[in-house]
Structure formats: C-alpha cells, structure tokens
Amino acid sequence: MLLLPIRQLLDALIANDSPRQVAWGTTIGMVLGLVPKDNMIVLALGTLLCALRVNRSAGLAAAGLFTMIGPSLDSITHLVGRKLLTEPLLEPLWGGLYELPLGPWIGFHNTVVLGSLLLGIYCSYPCYWTTLVFWRRYQSQLAAHVVRYRVTRWVAGASIAQRLGG
C-alpha cells in the first residue's frame, strides 16, 4: 500500500499507452485535482478517469499534484465563481440546478467549486497539448532510463507479486 503512489508513477512512465492516452489522463487528473473534493463533480470526473481509455496512472498522479496546488488558487477561483453566481442572467440557471434532486451535492452553488471547475476547463487545452508534445518527445527516453534502476524492477516485481498473491 505504501508503494502504490510510486508504482502508479512508474506505470505512467513505462506503460505502452499512446501519448494521447497519457495526455488525456493528465488533463482529466488536472481538472479533478483542481476542484474541491466534496461534491458530485469530483465523482463524475473520477468516474470519467476510470471509464475512459486513458492512462489512469498519469491521471491519478496529476490529480495528486493539482490537489496540492488547488488550495493556493482558492482566492482566484472564488472571485471567478462569485462573478458567475451573481450574474443576473445566470441566476435562474443556478437556481434551477440547485432545485434538482441532487442539486445541492453538485456543488455549483459554491463559488470555489464553480471557479475551480472553470479554471480547470480553461487550462485543459494547454495541459493536453503540452503533455502530448512532451510525451511524444520524451516517453521512450524516460522509460529506458527508469527501467535501468533496480528500484524500478523491485517495485514492478512487488506489483506482480501483489497481483498473484491477491
């Protein structure tokens, strides 16, 4: 259990996934990490990460990284969310969403949740293309470099042993 984050990072580095799968996983993980974790938006993004054919290890690593970065952006996301929630033209939309059966758990009434989601969506395009270009250029070099270390083989062996042992 202690090796799980390291194993996931190594899986992301040495997996045979296409660069697009890694880029999409990283992008979904980035949005997942930016949004506060007490609403149904996070549940939907987590389900999306697990259901689509993307690199889950890269997505979980990105979610972990952006979960640490997200709280430092709360002042900005609060301003964005407050601006949208107080917009007179959008007030009927927010009221209607809140009145849905699971409306309060969606989280759109929270300024930070709404602002973080919009910031994540706004940053999705640059995150996807940056990750795609980086991964196309350096994936084979990184994988060859990481596989040479004994620790990598040990962690990978622990992963196989865990799968066989149950």
Side-chain angles (χ1 to χ4, degrees), residues 12-33:
L13 288 173
I14 60 177
N16 288 327
D17 291 343
S18 73
R20 287 183 183 264
Q21 290 173 326
V22 175
W24 277 118
T26 303
T27 303
I28 294 170
M30 183 252 328
V31 177
L32 177 64

Side-chain angles (χ1 to χ4, degrees), residues 10 14 22 27 29 31 38 45 73-75 81 84-85 90 101 107 111 117 129-130 135 137 139 141 157 164:
L10 291 174
I14 60 177
V22 175
T27 303
V31 177
D38 58 350
L45 289 169
L73 301 172
D74 281 354
S75 61
L84 282 170
L85 284 175
L90 296 176
T111 57
L117 180 63
W129 285 106
T130 303
W135 216 248
R137 185 171 295 165
Q139 181 182 19
Q141 296 168 0
L164 294 176

